[in-house]
Amino acid sequence: MALIIPVIFIIVFVFSLIKRVNVYESFTEGISSALKFTFSLLPCLAAVFMMCALFEASHLSDKLCSLLAPVFGALGIPQELTKLVLIKPFSGSGSLAYLNEIIKNYGADSYVARCACVCFGSSETVFYISAVYFAGMKVKKLAMPILCVLVATLVSTVIACLVCRVM
């Protein structure tokens, strides 16, 4: 395993020699475009992080959790997972912290913890990924793709909890 990166490096270097590509020039061009992309991405990421902090600091997340818990319960999602389901699209680290709290409170083998683990592993930080992908592509109409991903995440969460209940 320790040789994989050096072997890949040597293969790329030999291939570039065969194709007569200037490796150093290609590398510096790639770094230049990566830096430009990174700097264009910073405002989008800052907005997502600030929205997450405001959402939590305003206690809007707690109010939304208490409002949506019965709806999630009717869909088969344990009410204890409401906050996890709401946090995950915004923050991976925040949802991981809440997952740890669920496991600590309910035990690793409980139904709630199993559902939480499956939901955590099968969903993504939608707004963070959207900021990264769409900033690079300069897409302006984001509502429909984000809505589709959020609906798909909710459906996958319902199915994950159903599978956990059956198993």
Side-chain angles (χ1 to χ4, degrees):
M1 289 302 289
L3 296 177
I4 289 178
I5 300 295
V7 167
I8 290 173
F9 179 77
I10 291 170
I11 290 171
V12 168
F13 188 73
V14 169
F15 185 74
S16 65
L17 285 175
I18 293 170
K19 292 290 189 176
R20 299 182 191 268
V21 174
N22 185 339
V23 176
Y24 181 75
E25 184 178 306
S26 298
F27 178 76
T28 55
E29 284 178 21
I31 292 294
S32 174
S33 64
L35 286 174
K36 288 176 188 172
F37 174 70
T38 301
F39 287 126
S40 72
L41 184 64
L42 287 177
C44 299
L45 292 178
V48 169
F49 292 142
M50 286 191 328
M51 286 187 331
C52 290
L54 288 173
F55 187 64
E56 193 66 34
S58 68
H59 298 288
L60 184 60
S61 63
D62 296 332
K63 292 175 185 170
L64 193 59
C65 285
S66 63
L67 180 71
L68 290 177
V71 175
F72 284 175
L75 291 172
I77 302 169
Q79 293 183 0
E80 298 86 355
L81 300 185
T82 303
K83 192 167 186 176
L84 177 70
V85 172
L86 291 177
I87 290 174
K88 182 64 176 186
F90 292 99
S91 170
S93 59
S95 58
L96 180 60
Y98 192 65
L99 174 67
N100 287 332
E101 186 178 314
I102 289 172
I103 292 171
K104 186 171 62 174
N105 290 341
Y106 297 98
D109 292 331
S110 68
Y111 169 67
V112 172
R114 284 185 288 135
C115 285
C117 289
V118 173
C119 293
F120 178 84
S122 64
S123 60
E124 188 54 71
T125 52
V126 174
F127 293 101
Y128 175 79
I129 297 298
S130 298
V132 172
Y133 287 158
F134 293 133
M137 297 186 322
K138 307 232 186 302
V139 174
K140 299 294 182 200
K141 296 181 180 181
L142 302 176
M144 190 54 71
I146 290 175
L147 181 63
C148 290
V149 173
L150 290 174
V151 169
T153 300
L154 180 62
V155 170
S156 71
T157 301
V158 170
I159 292 171
C161 291
L162 177 67
V163 168
C164 286
R165 184 178 299 271
V166 173
M167 298 183 92

